[in-house]
Amino acid sequence: MISAGIDIGSRTIKLVVMKNGEITHSDTTSTGFQPMTRAREILNGMTPDIMMATGYGRNLFEQQMEAKTVTEIKACAAGAAHLYPEVSTILDIGGQDVKVIRVGPNGRVVKFEMNDRCAAGTGKFLEIMSDNLGFDLSCFGDAALAAEKTVPVSSMCTVFAESEVTSLLAKGEKPINIARGLHDSVVKRAATMIRRVGLTGPLCFVGGVAKNPCIQDLLAEALQTEVVIPESPQTVVALGAALLAN
């Protein structure tokens, strides 16, 4: 039995293929402006026995590819629970939303909270801020880790934060220190959501932003707990969809 899970997100499409419960293939590509075209490209002619779609584009994929669908919340919980059965709280920071999920036995969703109404605290927020400060997104977290101090950025609205960053630069603040402040604001927002959902034991951190080393360190410090990160944090939701397809 070959199953596939495809996560069609706002920024990237992730694919995980499994055979008899083992991952045999995974891939990630940009969503672009034609998500179905990119989804077909990432499949590259593969015809799994069963497919499950999740993410923002799941309904369109269901219509055109005759696949089952599942919400990102359930898929994320299933994928994380498969990798870390001992973890009960999951943080997923993606391109345009932030999710915190509390899970029970077998990855059952107990409670969740989601911010998808604005870019505050998301990967898109960090992308825009890194560009404004002159950093490549891939090294933004490393740069923030090397800051001499934290320059607070009070606004989480992307538009207002851009104005605030411009003002701080005009006052002579170093970009690297502002970067630290931006990372700190993202973590404070996420930590507030996590505390509302509840945290006992280690936190599982997934999504593309989980690869940011400064966010990793600040989360562990703010929550005073271990933060576990999968080898491929951005494909965990697709993994969950593949598992639920069976």
Side-chain angles (χ1 to χ4, degrees):
M1 171 65 74
I2 298 175
S3 64
I6 187 165
D7 176 13
I8 306 173
S10 59
R11 309 286 294 168
T12 57
I13 298 174
K14 288 76 64 176
L15 173 72
V16 170
V17 180
M18 303 185 77
K19 182 177 181 179
N20 300 326
E22 298 293 330
I23 298 173
T24 59
H25 175 76
S26 66
D27 200 3
T28 302
T29 189
S30 169
T31 303
F33 297 105
Q34 296 181 310
M36 282 307 303
T37 298
R38 301 310 298 272
R40 289 189 176 92
E41 288 174 354
I42 200 172
L43 283 167
N44 194 27
M46 284 186 287
T47 54
D49 296 310
I50 188 166
M51 292 185 65
M52 182 79 83
T54 189
Y56 287 103
R58 67 181 181 273
N59 293 325
L60 182 62
F61 191 88
E62 178 186 27
Q63 294 167 11
Q64 298 191 22
M65 303 294 286
E66 297 183 356
K68 296 180 180 180
T69 63
V70 65
T71 67
E72 303 102 294
I73 300 294
K74 288 183 178 179
C76 183
H82 176 78
L83 296 171
Y84 304 103
E86 74 281 7
V87 168
S88 61
T89 307
I90 307 156
L91 169 65
D92 180 359
I93 304 183
Q96 292 192 359
D97 64 29
V98 180
K99 309 178 192 74
V100 179
I101 309 165
R102 185 73 183 267
V103 297
N106 301 316
R108 180 177 58 86
V109 176
V110 175
K111 185 178 181 181
F112 74 90
E113 187 163 323
M114 181 174 179
N115 166 40
D116 61 352
R117 296 182 181 179
C118 68
T122 67
K124 184 62 176 178
F125 175 83
L126 290 170
E127 182 181 338
I128 292 170
M129 293 303 115
S130 65
D131 186 60
N132 286 346
L133 289 170
F135 294 102
D136 186 272
L137 182 61
S138 63
C139 63
F140 196 34
D142 289 316
L145 274 177
E148 300 166 356
K149 65 175 183 176
T150 300
V151 175
V153 177
S154 59
S155 178
M156 281 302 294
C157 168
T158 304
V159 175
F160 293 149
E162 284 186 280
S163 297
E164 190 172 349
V165 165
T166 300
S167 177
L168 289 168
L169 289 170
K171 293 176 181 177
E173 295 288 359
K174 294 181 180 179
I176 197 171
N177 295 336
I178 300 173
R180 181 62 176 248
L182 287 163
H183 281 71
D184 189 58
S185 66
V186 169
V187 167
K188 284 180 177 177
R189 186 181 183 92
T192 298
M193 292 175 67
I194 290 165
R195 292 187 183 104
R196 283 199 293 262
V197 171
L199 175 66
T200 55
L203 172 76
C204 180
F205 186 18
V206 305
V209 176
K211 295 189 285 187
N212 183 306
C214 188
I215 299 291
Q216 295 171 12
D217 284 10
L218 291 176
L219 265 176
E221 182 181 337
L223 299 170
Q224 290 295 291
T225 192
E226 179 188 4
V227 178
V228 294
I229 300 163
E231 183 178 346
S232 179
Q234 71 273 29
T235 61
V236 170
V237 177
L239 168 62
L243 290 164
L244 292 171
N246 290 309

